[in-house]
Amino acid sequence: MMFDTFAMVDWSGGNDTGPEERKDAIWACIARGGIAEPPKYLRNRQVAEDWLAGLIEAEALAGRRLCLGFDFPFGYPQGFARALTGSADPLGVWAWIEARLQDGPRANTRFDLAGEINLALGGGKGPFWFNGLGREIDGLTRTRDGYANPFPERRAAEERAKGTFTCWQMGGAGAVGGQVMTGLAVLQRLRRRFAGQVAVWPFEPLDRPVAFVEIWPSLLEQVVKARTGPGDIRDAVQVQVVAEALSRLAPAQLQEMLDIDAPEEGWILGLGHEDALATAAGALQPPPLRNDCFALPAGVDWTPVDAALALLRERLRPVTGGETLDVTAALGRVLAGPVTARRSNPPLPNTAVDGYGFAGPAPEGPQALPLAEGRAAAGLAFDGVVPPGHALRILTGAALPEGVDTVVLDEDVSVGQGQVAFHGPLKRGANTRKAGEDVAEGDEILPESRVLTPADLALLSAVGVGQVRVRAPLKVGVLSTGDEIVDPGGAAAPGQIYDANRPMLLAMLERFGFVPVDLGRVPDDRATLRARLDTAAGEVQAVLTSGGASAGDEDHVSALLRESGALAEWRIALKPGRPLALGMWDGVLPVFGLPGNPVAAMVCTLIFARPALGLLAGRGWEEPWSVEVPAAFQKNKKPGRREYLRARLRDGKAEVFKSEGSGRISGLSWAEGLVELGDGGREVKPGDMVRFLPFPAFGL
């Protein structure tokens, strides 16, 4: 069983720690696809239990499988469970403790419960020790003096894992006994609340949507130490490191770690696989010499294009409000809800041709019918009934009078002497339309998220819809960053470059159907950038920046988003354009940090920003259409990155720009689209079929 979401929890058996974030509290972190959310501070066990329940409910609603890890033992050393409950089932111990432990934000009875167990099982001398209260507790000593343990001191997992502590110590430095009791009580309540949805590893088969697993962050001690900077809270760092590492493991790696037989004591997930965990966590290793300008720094993983797109699709939701417009003013707007027909089209049975109507069918052979007086025309109903055996002059679009259900074409008749003559046979209903044949009253004619076209306006009008509820246009700001950038046409000092990105991105947004907002440019100054983003939060609903999305000293976009606690910084397995910073400024403003190179900025905008902005605008996820065409070029592509080549069609074949250099902006103007080469290696020869995405497929 593999998982979509990994949430790791650093537990605490202590009292409420207050509203300010601090160490020795409960911390949690969620990761999906190798990307972690900011760690979550949980001030006490009641807050933590509520948060965990909410997470389980949310993941179930989203249809995702959840792996929940906790840093305390799930079982006691061999023999304890049977002595306490009469059964070797460790989950029986969970239920026993939960039924007896009283626990609140300011106090709990864990020390008293330890003394009760000692009196029952160890003559008051063990297995638990250390009384941390100001009063004496019968059966629980303050120190190890006179201590005698009838059970093993450690589980097999703790004998193997470095730095672990015995579960029998209830207080003092390194104590985990209190964490075990308070933690197991919470987990037992969650098992009962979500009965049938939770499996506990390694005691139960992992065939349910939620798994509880035991973790030990010190398995990744070197990574945690390297990631913990001045002012960082270690507890927060280590749950993030573990969550990221587990979510990056290949399914086969994770399955190997889960394949453990420990039916009574339990086990620590990843124990014995520390190297694989460290690699997944980004442990520092010297990279091989590749002489590749697109190679990533050591310890940084590629994010595949499809994985990045899936995460965007999963996490983004519409942010635009709604308004009601006349149909004539709604072209290009996004429907805020489905639209139903107010009346049928056609509203009545009518004729599809000019001719003569009668009650059919007409048998084979010559026919002659007397003409009734008058005629029926569109918008001019015939006032009367056509007698049986008679015909009536009828024009295209006219409602069928009573006594008419069949029409013969003008071209097939002769008229004279008060009669109309024609040859049969004609089936009943020939050359007529049924009421509602196109659309029936009450039918859904257009779905929510539809971008209205001229044809849609015709359909809406035809079924009587005069006004529609649409989403407000998405306003997207474009901001350039960097001391080296100057506005086109201005004076450029040596080492400076003209801003090609902002005009390009603003124009692309307009073509996409969004409202572009020019936010100008800012120098490499963090305070100025922060102020500009603060201002933008009140003006637009998303921002595209160019430059500053990587991890260098002057990459302030990434740095600011990281400081705000809402950054997903990806190195995309993509050429051109690998750095892409995504974050929420001030918790409300999505920011897409694009590469500074114009070629990479355009490709990332087409592949990532355009569909993501479509979701924000309420249009849904929009895939570009493509065609398979023969290649007019030759290329030996290395595996590992998806590549997009500037290309155009000539004589039905795709030819590519003479240089793949991402600094060759002229190639963007030369091109008419992109050739996409997949993630794997491939040797392309002239005539081989390749995927071509024309720029109009993106709305350009």
Side-chain angles (χ1 to χ4, degrees):
M1 172 182 176
M2 293 300 101
F3 304 97
D4 305 295
T5 302
F6 292 80
M8 301 297 116
V9 182
D10 185 293
W11 198 252
S12 173
N15 294 332
D16 186 290
T17 50
E20 297 296 326
E21 296 182 357
R22 51 160 289 180
K23 65 178 182 177
D24 298 326
I26 300 174
W27 284 88
C29 185
I30 297 171
R32 298 185 187 93
I35 299 174
E37 297 180 3
K40 179 76 174 178
Y41 169 70
L42 305 167
R43 60 185 291 177
N44 60 53
R45 285 180 295 281
Q46 183 59 59
V47 171
E49 185 173 343
D50 292 343
W51 182 84
L52 289 166
L55 175 63
I56 293 172
E57 290 172 348
E59 295 303 293
L61 187 63
R64 292 189 288 260
R65 292 175 178 254
L66 171 64
C67 178
L68 266 173
F70 301 87
D71 71 332
F72 53 79
F74 280 11
Y76 286 90
Q78 187 173 7
F80 177 76
R82 184 175 296 279
L84 184 70
T85 68
S87 168
D89 180 8
L91 297 179
V93 176
W94 290 30
W96 192 96
I97 292 174
E98 189 269 332
R100 292 163 176 79
L101 181 72
Q102 300 176 32
D103 192 6
R106 301 305 305 168
N108 61 69
T109 61
R110 66 184 188 272
F111 294 110
D112 298 278
L113 191 57
E116 178 185 334
I117 295 173
N118 282 356
L119 290 172
L121 304 183
K125 296 183 178 180
F128 295 103
W129 63 277
F130 193 98
N131 173 10
L133 301 181
R135 58 180 173 84
E136 297 300 318
I137 296 177
D138 191 15
L140 185 64
T141 62
R142 292 192 177 277
T143 67
R144 290 177 64 95
D145 292 343
Y147 173 72
N149 189 352
F151 307 105
E153 274 295 301
R154 294 173 178 269
R155 301 180 302 160
E158 281 129 18
E159 294 290 350
R160 182 168 176 176
K162 297 179 180 179
T164 55
F165 301 94
T166 174
C167 58
W168 305 124
Q169 183 181 343
M170 294 298 297
V176 297
Q179 292 183 33
V180 177
M181 283 192 179
T182 57
L184 294 184
V186 168
L187 297 193
Q188 177 63 17
R189 283 194 293 274
L190 290 172
R191 289 183 70 229
R192 188 167 60 245
R193 177 170 177 176
F194 297 98
Q197 299 181 55
V198 177
V200 180
W201 176 82
F203 309 136
E204 297 176 312
L206 297 184
D207 55 2
R208 298 172 184 174
V210 180
F212 289 168
V213 303
E214 179 184 337
I215 61 170
W216 176 237
S218 290
L219 295 182
L220 292 168
E221 174 62 26
Q222 295 304 315
V223 181
V224 172
K225 186 175 180 179
R227 291 267 295 269
T228 305
D232 288 340
I233 296 174
R234 176 188 167 87
D235 298 342
V237 174
Q238 65 186 18
V239 289
Q240 183 171 8
V241 168
V242 176
E244 288 176 347
L246 291 176
S247 69
R248 291 171 181 167
L249 290 172
Q253 290 178 297
L254 180 58
Q255 187 59 56
E256 185 178 359
M257 294 181 188
L258 291 169
D259 190 12
I260 291 294
D261 183 20
E264 181 179 348
E265 293 188 336
W267 196 256
I268 297 167
L269 183 59
L271 182 60
H273 302 270
E274 287 84 347
D275 288 345
L277 274 179
T279 299
L284 185 64
Q285 299 290 337
L289 180 64
R290 288 171 284 180
N291 194 27
D292 182 356
C293 67
F294 283 94
L296 290 177
V300 178
D301 292 329
W302 292 110
T303 299
V305 171
D306 288 339
L309 291 172
L311 287 168
L312 284 172
R313 191 169 188 171
E314 173 186 311
R315 296 182 180 186
L316 297 178
R317 297 291 183 270
V319 297
T320 51
E323 58 183 330
T324 301
L325 292 180
D326 290 342
V327 166
T328 54
L331 180 64
R333 299 296 288 274
V334 180
L335 284 177
V339 180
T340 57
R342 295 186 60 189
R343 76 168 187 174
S344 299
N345 182 52
L348 296 170
N350 66 16
T351 176
V353 298
D354 292 341
Y356 293 84
F358 58 94
E364 187 172 355
Q367 310 292 323
L369 299 176
L371 283 172
E373 290 191 10
R375 70 171 189 167
L380 186 63
F382 176 75
D383 186 14
V385 178
V386 177
H390 287 64
L392 179 74
R393 176 64 170 159
I394 192 165
L395 303 180
T396 302
L400 298 182
E402 187 176 348
V404 172
D405 59 19
T406 305
V407 176
V408 59
L409 279 72
D410 263 350
E411 294 83 355
D412 292 336
V413 304
S414 297
V415 180
Q417 300 175 358
Q419 291 184 321
V420 58
F422 59 93
H423 275 86
L426 280 179
K427 295 181 179 180
R428 187 186 304 277
N431 300 312
T432 65
R433 306 184 185 103
K434 297 177 182 179
E437 181 176 283
D438 179 24
V439 178
E441 180 180 347
D443 282 352
E444 181 179 315
I445 56 171
L446 293 174
E448 182 179 4
S449 302
R450 172 85 172 188
V451 180
L452 292 173
T453 67
D456 294 335
L457 304 190
L459 176 59
L460 291 166
S461 301
V463 296
V465 176
Q467 292 186 321
V468 285
R469 185 72 177 170
V470 297
R471 289 190 174 275
L474 181 74
K475 296 181 179 179
V476 185
V478 176
L479 177 65
S480 293
T481 69
D483 291 335
E484 76 279 13
I485 300 296
V486 295
D487 288 335
Q496 290 187 312
I497 58 174
Y498 291 115
D499 187 356
N501 283 342
R502 207 161 85 247
M504 175 183 70
L505 295 174
L506 289 167
M508 291 175 71
L509 291 170
E510 186 170 358
R511 285 290 185 92
F512 293 159
F514 308 126
V515 177
V517 178
D518 189 352
L519 299 178
R521 57 182 176 85
V522 295
D524 287 322
D525 178 78
R526 201 162 297 184
T528 304
L529 177 58
R530 181 184 291 109
R532 187 64 56 88
L533 290 174
D534 286 341
T535 302
E539 299 176 350
V540 298
Q541 292 149 309
V543 172
L544 302 182
T545 69
S546 60
S550 191
D553 295 341
E554 299 297 335
D555 291 320
H556 298 293
V557 173
S558 294
L560 277 180
L561 290 175
R562 190 180 300 108
E563 286 179 7
S564 75
L567 171 69
E569 187 179 9
W570 295 336
R571 292 294 188 271
I572 308 295
L574 175 75
K575 178 183 178 181
R578 53 182 181 145
L580 181 64
L582 303 170
M584 294 292 290
W585 183 253
D586 201 27
V588 297
L589 181 67
V591 177
F592 297 80
L594 301 171
N597 186 292
V599 177
M602 182 176 186
V603 170
C604 284
T605 300
L606 293 177
I607 304 303
F608 298 106
R610 173 182 171 269
L613 292 173
L615 284 179
L616 297 176
R619 288 170 15 179
W621 189 264
E622 298 171 312
E623 297 277 0
W625 55 269
S626 62
V627 292
E628 293 287 324
V629 298
F633 62 93
Q634 183 167 338
K635 177 178 173 61
N636 188 11
K637 179 192 173 297
K638 298 178 181 179
R641 293 192 303 271
R642 187 169 304 182
E643 296 191 18
Y644 291 92
L645 310 177
R646 286 151 282 176
R648 65 185 184 186
L649 294 185
R650 291 296 182 268
D651 298 324
K653 299 180 180 180
E655 59 182 41
V656 298
F657 190 57
K658 59 187 178 182
S659 170
E660 293 183 19
S662 56
R664 302 287 291 270
I665 303 175
S666 62
L668 293 177
S669 179
W670 173 93
E672 298 169 350
L674 301 172
V675 162
E676 180 186 77
L677 299 179
D679 301 343
R682 182 181 178 187
E683 183 178 357
V684 180
K685 298 178 181 178
D688 289 349
M689 301 302 288
V690 293
R691 186 186 185 205
F692 179 68
L693 298 95
F695 285 148
F698 297 99
L700 296 182

